[in-house]
């Protein structure tokens, strides 16, 4: 009889331990449900200690990506965010000429400090801010899931001090030396790392537009805006603009920069401008 009572006693103790563990798990799950924390893998949400995307992440910078489009090949988007909660946004509908839109203004954070909203009215768009990434949200403010989820992301821009914040003067175009026309100016281009915008002169007209640098010296150049003056050598100026749209990578060796397409011969060659 004592042996049986001994076994029953430890059976009861074991059952109480299991019950206690299960109760603790349920309470922990309930607590987590009421206190969502940042997922360390992507930096979303709000941490229990008060850290948010707004105050804990290095979110200032330039973000680029191509969002799916119902009636075009994609919506190429570039957004610059700064610490004064100002934004600069450029949108281009791929395959639709003259469709580039640009707007600037202030953006707002939601109460959780994890979501920003830019634009007003029909141009309003919300993004969840992660580590070096913006997640494009749907119209109800939810993150997009499923097979296309990866398409609704804008990635923070790489930077390259060898290329950016310098003036590059065009010396060769499609294998031919450049001759500056009498009524024109030397063609050149600059890449501004702060705004991720490139600008310059095609020997006739001024131009500007967005760009993004990716790993492996790859570059993606957005649609350019330019002035519309008539000059002596319009063919060269036009060819230069076409080259900028074709280039998908670059090389910088000392004071020479090339814009290339895949592994073909350089589309354009540039020399570093001398300081005045």
């Amino acid at each position: 009889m004592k042996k049986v009572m001994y076994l029953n006693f430890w059976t009861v103790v074991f059952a109480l331990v299991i019950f206690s563990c299960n109760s603790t798990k349920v309470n922990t799950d309930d607590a987590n449900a009421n206190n969502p924390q940042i997922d360390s893998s992507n930096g979303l949400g709000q941490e229990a200690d008060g850290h948010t995307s707004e105050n804990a992440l290095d979110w200032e910078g330039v973000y680029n990506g191509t969002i799916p489009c119902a009636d075009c090949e994609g919506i190429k988007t570039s957004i610059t965010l700064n610490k004064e909660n100002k934004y600069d946004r450029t949108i281009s509908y791929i395959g639709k000429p003259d469709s580039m839109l640009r707007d600037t203004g202030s953006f707002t954070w939601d109460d959780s400090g994890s979501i920003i909203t830019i634009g007003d009215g029909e141009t309003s768009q919300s993004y969840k801010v992660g580590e070096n990434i913006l997640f494009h949200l749907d119209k109800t403010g939810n993150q997009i899931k499923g097979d296309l989820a990866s398409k609704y992301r804008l990635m923070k821009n790489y930077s390259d001090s060898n290329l950016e914040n310098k003036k590059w003067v065009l010396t060769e175009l499609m294998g031919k030396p450049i001759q500056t026309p009498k009524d024109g100016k030397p063609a050149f281009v600059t890449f501004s790392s702060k705004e991720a915008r490139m600008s310059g002169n095609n020997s006739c007209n001024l131009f500007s537009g967005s760009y993004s640098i990716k790993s492996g010296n790859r570059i993606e150049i957005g649609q350019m805006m330019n002035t519309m003056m008539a000059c002596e050598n319009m063919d060269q100026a036009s060819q230069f603009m076409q080259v900028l749209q074709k280039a998908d990578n670059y090389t910088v060796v000392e004071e020479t920069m090339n814009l290339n397409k895949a592994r073909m011969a350089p589309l354009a060659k540039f020399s570093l401008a001398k300081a005045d």
Side-chain angles (χ1 to χ4, degrees), residues 48-234:
D49 61 2
H51 288 174
T52 67
S53 297
E54 181 180 8
N55 63 33
L57 297 181
D58 180 21
W59 49 262
E60 185 177 23
V62 182
Y63 299 79
N64 294 280
T66 300
I67 304 301
C69 175
D71 59 352
C72 67
E73 299 173 31
I75 305 172
K76 187 177 293 184
T77 305
S78 178
I79 298 176
T80 302
L81 305 178
N82 66 37
K83 288 297 185 182
E84 289 73 39
N85 286 357
K86 301 289 186 181
Y87 75 88
D88 186 324
R89 174 175 57 175
T90 302
I91 297 174
S92 299
Y93 292 81
I94 302 174
K96 293 186 175 184
D98 304 321
S99 65
M100 186 170 65
L101 304 174
R102 184 183 181 190
D103 66 327
T104 60
S106 300
F107 63 88
T108 57
W109 289 90
D110 73 342
D111 292 340
S112 73
S114 64
I115 295 175
I116 62 171
T117 300
I118 66 176
D120 298 307
E122 294 183 357
T123 67
S124 176
Q125 178 60 49
S126 295
Y127 298 89
K128 185 167 283 188
V129 181
E131 186 71 42
N132 299 322
I133 188 172
L134 296 180
F135 294 88
H136 182 105
L137 304 182
D138 65 19
K139 291 300 182 182
T140 60
N142 294 314
Q143 192 170 332
I144 296 168
K145 305 292 185 180
D147 295 339
L148 294 178
S150 63
K151 302 292 185 181
Y152 289 89
R153 298 175 182 178
L154 306 182
M155 304 303 298
K156 196 172 183 181
N157 215 27
Y158 279 81
S159 62
D160 186 346
S161 59
N162 292 319
L163 173 73
E164 296 173 299
N165 307 316
K166 299 176 180 180
K167 182 177 180 179
W168 297 100
V169 179
L170 183 67
T171 58
E172 188 176 300
L173 188 62
M174 300 299 291
K176 297 180 180 180
I178 289 298
Q179 299 294 329
T180 302
K182 295 180 181 179
D183 64 344
K185 298 179 179 180
F188 72 91
V189 62
T190 62
F191 300 85
S192 172
S193 61
K194 183 176 181 180
E195 300 178 342
R197 294 192 65 80
M198 57 186 295
S199 59
N201 192 307
N202 59 19
S203 77
C204 177
N205 286 286
L206 299 174
F207 64 85
S208 67
S210 63
Y211 73 93
S212 61
I213 297 175
K214 306 180 186 300
S215 62
N217 281 21
R218 292 178 296 135
I219 190 168
E220 185 173 308
I221 297 175
Q223 184 177 342
M224 295 289 106
M225 296 185 295
N226 59 270
T227 55
M228 302 295 289
M229 294 176 56
C231 301
E232 176 184 337
N233 192 355
M234 292 297 294

Side-chain angles (χ1 to χ4, degrees), residues 7-63:
L7 291 175
N8 287 341
F9 172 78
W10 285 110
T11 300
V12 172
V13 171
F14 182 76
L16 288 174
V17 170
I18 296 298
F19 178 80
S20 176
C21 290
N22 287 339
S23 297
T24 302
K25 183 179 187 300
V26 170
N27 291 336
T28 302
D29 291 343
D30 289 342
N32 288 340
N34 293 324
N35 296 284
Q37 298 182 356
I38 288 180
D39 181 346
S40 61
S41 65
N42 57 26
L44 303 180
Q46 183 173 3
E47 290 186 349
D49 61 2
H51 288 174
T52 67
S53 297
E54 181 180 8
N55 63 33
L57 297 181
D58 180 21
W59 49 262
E60 185 177 23
V62 182
Y63 299 79

